[in-house]
Amino acid sequence: MSANRNRNWVFFLAIGAAILFNYFNGTFDSGIEQSPMDDNQYRHVVLENGLNVMLVSNPKADRAAASLDVNVGSLQDPENRPGLAHFLEHMLFLGTATYPDAGEYQKFIGQHGGSHNAFTAQEHTNYFFEIDPAQLQPALDRFSRFFYEPLFTEAYVQREKEAVHSEFRSKYRDDFRRLQYAVKAVMNPEHPASHFATGNLDTLSDTDDNKVRDELIAFYNQYYSANIMTLAIYGPQSLDELENWASQLFSPIENRQTQLPRYDMPVFSQGTLPLDMKLQPVQDLLQLNLVFPMGSTLAHYQTKPAHFLGHLIGHEGDGSLLAYLKQQGWAESLSAGLSSDTRSDSVFQISIALTEAGLAHVDDITEQAFAYIKLIKLQGVDDWVFEELKQIDELHFQFQEGRSPVSLVQQLSMNMHTYAPKHYLKGDYLWSDFDADLIKQFLNQLKPNNMLRIVSNQAFSTDKTDPWFAAPYATATFSDDVFTRFMAPDLADGLAIPQPNPFIPQDTALLDEGEHDTPQLIQQSEGLSLWHQQDVSYKGPQSSLYITLRTPLSQQGAKEQMLLDAWVKLLNDELNSFSYPAQLAGQGYSLYNHMRGLGVRLYGYRDKQDTLLEKIIEEMKHYQPDEQKWQQTRQELQRAYQNSLLKKPYERAMAELSRYMLSPSFDESELLNALNESSLDELLNFQKQFWQTLDVVVLGHGNISAKQLTTTGELIKKQLLQDTQGTEVPRKQVLQLNQGMTKANVNAQHKDAAMVLYIQGEGEALSERAKAGLLGQMLHAPYYTYMRTERQYGYVVFATPYPMLEQTGLAFIVQSDKTSSQYLLSETERFMQSFELQLLDMSEDAFNAHKQGLIQRLLEKPKNLREKTNDYWREIDRENHDFNTAQKIADEVEKITKEALHQYYEKHVLNPQSRRLLLHYDA
């Protein structure tokens, strides 16, 4: 304990020094606690109408963004109008008094290289956009008017009902939704959390004396009030200018002094719990969920009792509940934490993905979950655990990485409802005071007689269905002997509270800035290439270490692809207990298979990174699974392959597009057949073959020196490449389609239809990629407006550039609950014809705005080291060692004339003999 506290002392001295450094450099803001590495400027203001506003200025910003959050959602739906809050979210986008055109906002945002969206949660409705910074003020002008002059045009009310209904239908076979609504079916019917939240044609239909538009306006007038709204704006403009815009544009929002409702009734009626539920999913899922209602935790953000408990129960290291369940062969994964948290109550959930063997031991697993909870009561509510979590989050906050502007403003606008102003940025990371009594108060709610247990399995017999998603389920009470086991559980051998985390970094010193602007090839020998860039431009001690092991085995056939899948899954499972504490401490890793072999990515604090890498390399080279592990992995892979065939039709079509166009590729049916014919001996032989012929490429980027990377290279060479021959492993090939239309059916199981029309460009020329990118940006908003808003064909509608590797292309994607794929194709072709007139009539100013919007997106700077590493890694993969693909495409965009783009449109989009592939599905 004393060593741990000494480590904390050194750590907090480092943080204090960093804060003082930033204070004397003029970036410290005493009003709002921000990371020392955060170079944004912040200001919190309250407008005269009571609207809370957070302003964020960064002169270097190359994107602008805004988010407005209304502190109401589906819980506030009128009892007779389920889904009204969600429907209102949809309707706000469809015209205002100043901008009455239903697609004007979308068109403006898209024209200037931006994006927008919104979502409705239980107590939040969040609207957001990002855009070219030069267009922030006119975008805010359009955005702000949603909240004080929406039209709610009668003609669009019925149309948008159809869109909401399509969204509902698109998720009808979604197992997450089915689980959610099976739980709602047994909740207290008086509690609004039990109600239908999405909305559909039934709940939003008019009656003789009750028009949905009237109720929509009444709901808006009741709840869309400045005093329960929050706004965050980010841009390169000064704080004064941003404040001026906020005041001018958002002050017209009326303050109706709205009081937010609270719900005093219990989430589950008295006497309902404990309850045992059997649920029949659509996919082949084996899942155990233990659900516990408890009080709201929102007011306890500085002590985080639920987070504390989720950390201990959800731990995956040695001695953890998951480690024990894996040793028994009963579980694949486990998570624990809040599944909802509102002003009135919250729900804590333990979710366990079971193996087939685990399905037969559900009572044993449940008993050990309660045994572990009992162990926490006895030994786990300790201040050292709290201090460690505090130390880790202080570290994460100090070296917090940059994020996208739209992500930042969304988080801020939601945090502003819960945290004190000075904690708007730090609240998620804040651990102020250890409160053992408070933690135990919440821990005491995790008890058998407060539990809803849900077990999911396709083979279950059921006698009920929920009224909205038709999820089949059955409920029963626990037998006395089983319940007694839960109340007085026997702790299994090996279960223990986690030990102090050995991966918390002690050395956070920064190297000097490197000499090179891009990675340099510092070593190349047979079978191994080392790329390096020392880069501390983001002011953090993080580094990226990316490794690819390319092997010709990966492209030989479906069996080799399947064996690679299995091996990666086995390795990740074997490494999990060791690597989990590292990931908690900010030392992330992923081990995955890709088009040319196997990849390893490490990202995090440089200190302790080599310790994790050495363990990964050791397991890769020497781990050999036994028959039990192999059989369990086969079962898991079988379910994964089978479940991929049950995805939404448009998702299946997109997967089929990649399989069809990229060679060699193998579909799930081929992989399943290979899996059914495989054995452990074949896997072990595959492992031996893997090391015989390899091409290894490594990128070290960030707070890592060339000497350190060279040492890593020597480790890789010694451990992995001693008996290996170097080789060249080509990238996959892109199929060149024949002229005219090629058609292919999609294998799916769904009631919706889907269409994906892929139009292939002529090659990899940068000028082609520039034109396809510009066309995709121009088509996106009008295609959406035509197919979704005006024609109401479906909730899922996209028109987008769709490159395959470097091969250019465009894709039109629609999923519909009421229209055949052939009709979707006809309407898409009708849209294509009509868009030609829009392109011809487009003014030069509008055309140039589209060009500048795309250029701005192409040249957007990476927000953090990881994004920059990913950009470099893609360039290394495509062998562009100038690392300037985006700049070269932007240069080509600048050259495009309207006439040239129209010629490209005629040749590729309108020409029926252009190379195109139609992937379609009809129920």
Side-chain angles (χ1 to χ4, degrees), residues 59-91:
K60 299 177 183 177
D62 52 13
R63 298 294 278 170
S67 172
L68 187 144
D69 192 273
V70 190
N71 204 187
V72 295
S74 60
L75 290 186
Q76 285 71 51
D77 284 340
E79 190 170 349
N80 67 324
R81 284 294 185 193
L84 191 65
H86 180 218
F87 183 49
L88 173 55
E89 172 221 308
H90 279 241
M91 287 298 302

Side-chain angles (χ1 to χ4, degrees), residues 71 75 122-124 260-262 294-307 338 340-347 414-420 423 427-428 430 438 442:
N71 204 187
L75 290 186
Q122 285 188 310
E123 291 184 327
H124 293 274
L260 294 171
R262 293 185 62 85
M294 55 173 54
S296 173
T297 75
L298 293 179
H300 306 299
Y301 72 86
Q302 298 189 57
T303 47
K304 295 182 169 54
H307 189 147
L338 293 175
S340 72
D341 197 6
T342 70
R343 290 183 292 271
S344 302
D345 40 56
S346 68
V347 175
M414 296 185 72
N415 285 356
M416 290 165 71
H417 293 298
T418 303
Y419 302 152
H423 296 150
D428 293 341
L430 190 61
L438 180 66
F442 282 92

Side-chain angles (χ1 to χ4, degrees), residues 183-397:
V183 173
K184 284 175 177 280
V186 297
M187 282 182 176
N188 179 359
E190 299 299 318
H191 197 290
S194 70
H195 300 166
F196 181 46
T198 305
N200 61 18
L201 285 176
D202 292 332
T203 69
L204 300 174
S205 63
D206 289 339
T207 62
D208 291 339
D209 56 356
N210 193 320
K211 303 295 185 184
V212 71
R213 183 176 183 273
D214 295 337
E215 293 199 49
L216 187 74
I217 294 171
F219 186 92
Y220 178 87
N221 288 336
Q222 179 179 1
Y223 287 118
Y224 273 53
S225 172
N227 71 301
I228 60 168
M229 292 178 175
T230 51
L231 171 67
I233 304 174
Y234 174 97
Q237 296 81 5
S238 70
L239 290 172
D240 288 342
E241 188 168 13
L242 292 176
E243 182 176 351
N244 184 43
W245 290 350
S247 179
Q248 285 182 358
L249 299 173
F250 291 88
S251 288
I253 299 174
E254 187 175 346
N255 184 345
R256 300 180 170 94
Q257 301 295 328
T258 297
Q259 297 297 308
L260 294 171
R262 293 185 62 85
Y263 307 102
D264 297 325
M265 69 288 288
V267 177
F268 292 89
S269 301
Q270 188 171 2
T272 300
L273 303 182
L275 188 65
D276 196 18
M277 175 182 286
K278 299 287 192 294
L279 179 65
Q280 189 183 94
V282 172
Q283 296 188 356
D284 186 8
L285 300 178
L286 305 178
Q287 187 83 18
L288 171 64
N289 291 285
L290 309 180
V291 177
F292 304 89
M294 55 173 54
S296 173
T297 75
L298 293 179
H300 306 299
Y301 72 86
Q302 298 189 57
T303 47
K304 295 182 169 54
H307 189 147
F308 184 97
L309 297 176
H311 164 73
L312 292 176
I313 298 171
H315 205 279
E316 299 179 18
D318 292 335
S320 67
L321 178 59
L322 177 61
Y324 167 78
L325 296 177
K326 283 189 169 185
Q327 289 167 5
Q328 304 306 307
W330 294 347
E332 299 176 17
S333 62
L334 181 150
S335 62
L338 293 175
S339 60
S340 72
D341 197 6
T342 70
R343 290 183 292 271
S344 302
D345 40 56
S346 68
V347 175
F348 191 95
Q349 184 165 300
I350 303 171
S351 297
I352 303 171
L354 301 172
T355 63
E356 290 187 15
L359 189 64
H361 290 273
V362 168
D363 289 341
D364 297 317
I365 295 170
T366 307
E367 180 183 6
Q368 289 312 308
F370 284 114
Y372 200 78
I373 289 168
K374 181 179 178 181
L375 180 65
I376 293 172
K377 290 180 182 178
L378 296 174
Q379 300 178 17
V381 187
D382 198 315
D383 64 346
W384 80 262
V385 179
F386 186 91
E387 288 300 320
E388 182 173 279
L389 290 170
K390 179 177 182 177
Q391 181 180 358
I392 289 172
D393 270 355
E394 285 281 0
L395 188 72
H396 293 344
F397 184 69

Side-chain angles (χ1 to χ4, degrees), residues 622-689:
H622 300 294
Y623 171 64
Q624 292 190 327
D626 57 23
E627 185 66 31
Q628 179 187 347
K629 283 283 188 182
W630 164 245
Q631 291 299 334
Q632 181 179 321
T633 299
R634 286 185 77 235
Q635 293 168 2
E636 294 171 12
L637 271 181
Q638 185 177 49
R639 288 197 299 274
Y641 292 151
Q642 289 172 337
N643 288 338
S644 68
L645 297 171
L646 298 173
K647 290 182 177 179
K648 297 180 180 69
Y650 87 93
E651 294 173 330
R652 291 291 307 138
M654 301 305 293
E656 183 65 15
L657 175 59
S658 293
R659 189 204 66 79
Y660 194 98
M661 295 299 303
L662 296 174
S663 178
S665 293
F666 314 100
D667 66 20
E668 289 80 6
S669 298
E670 293 173 292
L671 295 172
L672 270 170
N673 289 335
L675 179 65
N676 292 334
E677 298 170 358
S678 61
S679 67
L680 176 59
D681 287 341
E682 287 179 298
L683 176 72
L684 297 177
N685 185 56
F686 176 84
Q687 289 177 266
K688 291 178 184 178
Q689 289 181 286

